C-alpha cells in the first residue's frame, strides 16, 4: 500500500508555485511613505546645494589692503557636482520605486522577487548616496576647519551663507541615506517572512 502511494506521488508531476507574498497593507504603506520621504530629501538636498552661492570680498595675496569680490558656488568643486548628480539619480530612483510601490497597494498578492529586486537596488542607491554624502562632507569639513598640514585655509569664516547651505544639503543627504537603510531592512524583513 505504501509503495502504491509512492508510485502515485512520482507519477503526478508537481509544478513549483511561485512564492507570493500577501500585500500586508502596513508594509506597503510604510514603503510608500519612506519612498516619498526619500524623494523629498533628495529634492531638498539638490535644490539647496544647487542654490548655494555667495560672493565675498577676498584679499589679494601679496597686495596689502586690496580686496576683490570672489564668488563661491557648488560648481567650483567636483565633489559637489558629483553630490548633485548622485542625489538626482537617487531622486529619480525614488520616483520609479514609489510608482512601483503604489501599484502594489491594491494588489492582494505580491511576488517575493519584487522585494528582492527592490532590496538589491536600494542597496545600490544607498552606496551611491553614502559616497556622495561622504565626499561632499569631506570637502565641506575642510572648508569649515581648514587643514594646516597642507596649508589649506578655512573658508567658512568668509563664506558663511555658502557653508550653511552646504551643511543643510549634506544633512538632508544623510537623512536620505538613513531612509534607504530603513528601506533595505524593510525589504529584507518582507523577504524573510516569505521564506517557507
Amino acid at each position: 500500500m505504501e509503495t502504491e502511494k509512492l508510485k502515485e506521488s512520482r507519477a503526478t508531476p508537481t509544478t513549483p508555485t511561485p512564492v507570493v507574498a500577501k500585500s500586508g497593507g502596513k508594509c506597503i504603506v510604510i514603503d510608500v511613505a519612506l519612498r516619498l520621504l526619500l524623494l523629498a530629501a533628495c529634492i531638498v538636498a539638490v535644490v539647496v546645494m544647487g542654490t548655494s552661492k555667495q560672493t565675498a570680498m577676498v584679499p589679494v595675496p601679496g597686495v596689502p589692503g586690496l580686496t576683490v569680490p570672489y564668488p563661491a558656488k557648488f560648481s567650483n568643486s567636483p565633489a559637489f557636482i558629483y553630490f548633485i548628480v548622485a542625489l538626482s539619480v537617487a531622486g529619480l530612483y525614488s520616483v520609479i520605486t514609489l510608482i512601483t510601490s503604489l501599484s502594489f497597494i491594491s494588489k492582494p498578492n505580491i511576488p517575493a522577487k519584487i522585494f528582492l529586486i527592490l532590496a538589491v537596488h536600494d542597496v545600490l542607491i544607498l552606496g551611491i548616496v553614502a559616497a556622495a554624502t561622504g565626499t561632499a562632507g569631506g570637502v565641506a569639513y575642510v572648508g569649515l576647519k581648514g587643514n594646516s598640514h597642507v596649508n589649506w585655509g578655512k573658508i567658512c569664516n568668509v563664506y558663511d551663507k555658502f557653508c550653511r547651505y552646504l551643511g543643510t544639503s549634506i544633512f538632508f543627504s544623510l537623512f536620505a541615506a538613513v531612509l534607504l537603510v530603513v528601506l533595505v531592512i524593510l525589504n529584507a524583513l518582507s523577504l524573510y517572512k516569505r521564506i517557507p
Side-chain angles (χ1 to χ4, degrees):
M1 183 184 244
E2 200 167 304
T3 56
E4 289 176 14
K5 288 182 182 176
L6 187 60
K7 285 180 184 177
E8 286 177 15
S9 67
R10 288 184 185 168
T12 57
T14 58
T15 57
T17 57
V19 180
V20 175
K22 288 189 177 175
S23 176
K26 286 183 184 177
C27 282
I28 294 297
V29 170
I30 291 170
D31 188 75
V32 167
L34 288 173
R35 292 187 189 282
L36 195 57
L37 278 172
L38 175 63
L39 175 62
C42 290
I43 289 172
V44 170
V46 168
V47 168
V48 171
M49 180 66 78
T51 57
S52 61
K53 183 178 180 181
Q54 181 181 3
T55 302
M57 298 302 286
V58 178
V60 176
V63 183
L66 181 62
T67 58
V68 293
Y70 193 80
K73 50 190 173 183
F74 81 93
S75 59
N76 292 343
S77 171
F80 297 147
I81 294 171
Y82 169 64
F83 179 88
I84 285 187
V85 171
L87 268 292
S88 298
V89 168
L92 177 63
Y93 170 77
S94 68
V95 168
I96 293 168
T97 56
L98 180 63
I99 293 168
T100 303
S101 292
L102 283 171
S103 70
F104 285 115
I105 281 182
S106 61
K107 296 191 179 178
N109 296 322
I110 302 171
K113 68 179 181 179
I114 295 296
F115 291 109
L116 178 63
I117 292 169
L118 284 174
V120 168
H121 286 93
D122 286 346
V123 168
L124 178 67
I125 296 298
L126 172 61
I128 292 170
V129 169
T133 304
T135 303
V139 173
Y141 183 80
V142 170
L144 179 66
K145 299 288 185 179
N147 188 332
S148 60
H149 301 292
V150 290
N151 202 22
W152 290 343
K154 57 185 177 179
I155 63 162
C156 286
N157 55 342
V158 177
Y159 297 101
D160 55 338
K161 177 185 166 195
F162 175 72
C163 289
R164 280 196 307 275
Y165 274 55
L166 293 182
T168 303
S169 183
I170 291 168
F171 169 78
F172 279 101
S173 175
L174 189 59
F175 180 64
V178 170
L179 289 172
L180 281 163
V181 169
V182 174
L183 281 166
V184 168
I185 293 170
L186 182 69
N187 286 323
L189 286 174
S190 296
L191 270 176
Y192 178 74
K193 288 178 183 177
R194 274 91 182 157
I195 294 175

